[in-house]
Amino acid sequence: MAFYCSHIAMHTIEENENVMIYGPVIMNAEVLCYKSDLADVRTVGISQGRQNEKEQARETYPQIEEFQEITQKGILYSLENGQVDGVVQDISKAANVPDYLCAPISETDYISYVLVVDKKFVETEEFGEFIENYNRAAESLNDPEILAGKLGVEEDWLKDKKIRFLTLGQP
């Protein structure tokens, strides 16, 4: 069982007939981080292979002229040293550098992560218990106060973020 970005999940299930996408689990988890003025963000660093996030950011911020694919380890370094004007990253990583400004990458809702699970595991009692526990956790994390505490940020930092944890149906 694993949580994947939806494009990685599609590749995983295409390559392994024993697994399936059980359902979406997190929406709107990526943000555009930048130093000063969002209107000045022209070149954006993005993790390799993140075509969907690239398209969403380009549609939302028409001033973006170029995307540079960067390894996840080097993405914040490229912003800090001025190689790019902004970077797209997961909100949990953005929370580690709260001095940067962040904006949602899309004005509309989108799926960030899905649950990929072994087909045989779905049929077990343990999976049913997992779903119950997961749903409780998802509902809890949708409370901004709780999520802010887990991310180590002030609740106000989440104000304009649209992240949403989705519950899953029982098998």
Side-chain angles (χ1 to χ4, degrees), residues 43-47 54 66-70 75 78 83-84:
T43 303
V44 174
I46 192 163
S47 294
K54 186 187 300 185
E66 176 187 3
F67 287 88
Q68 292 182 10
E69 289 195 3
I70 302 170
I75 203 159
S78 67
Q83 293 176 28
V84 295

Side-chain angles (χ1 to χ4, degrees), residues 100-161:
Y100 290 119
L101 301 168
C102 296
I105 64 164
S106 178
E107 295 172 351
T108 58
D109 290 335
Y110 62 94
I111 301 299
S112 295
Y113 296 96
V114 296
L115 176 64
V116 175
V117 63
D118 184 282
K119 291 176 182 177
K120 290 181 182 175
F121 184 55
V122 170
E123 300 168 7
T124 67
E125 184 177 324
E126 289 84 3
F127 183 71
E129 291 172 12
F130 165 78
I131 294 295
E132 288 177 24
N133 291 322
Y134 166 81
N135 285 341
R136 277 196 297 278
E139 288 173 12
S140 176
L141 289 171
N142 282 325
D143 178 329
E145 182 179 356
I146 292 172
L147 181 58
K150 296 293 182 189
L151 292 174
V153 297
E154 296 294 323
E155 189 175 339
D156 194 50
W157 186 83
L158 289 170
K159 191 193 256 180
D160 64 341
K161 315 306 185 284

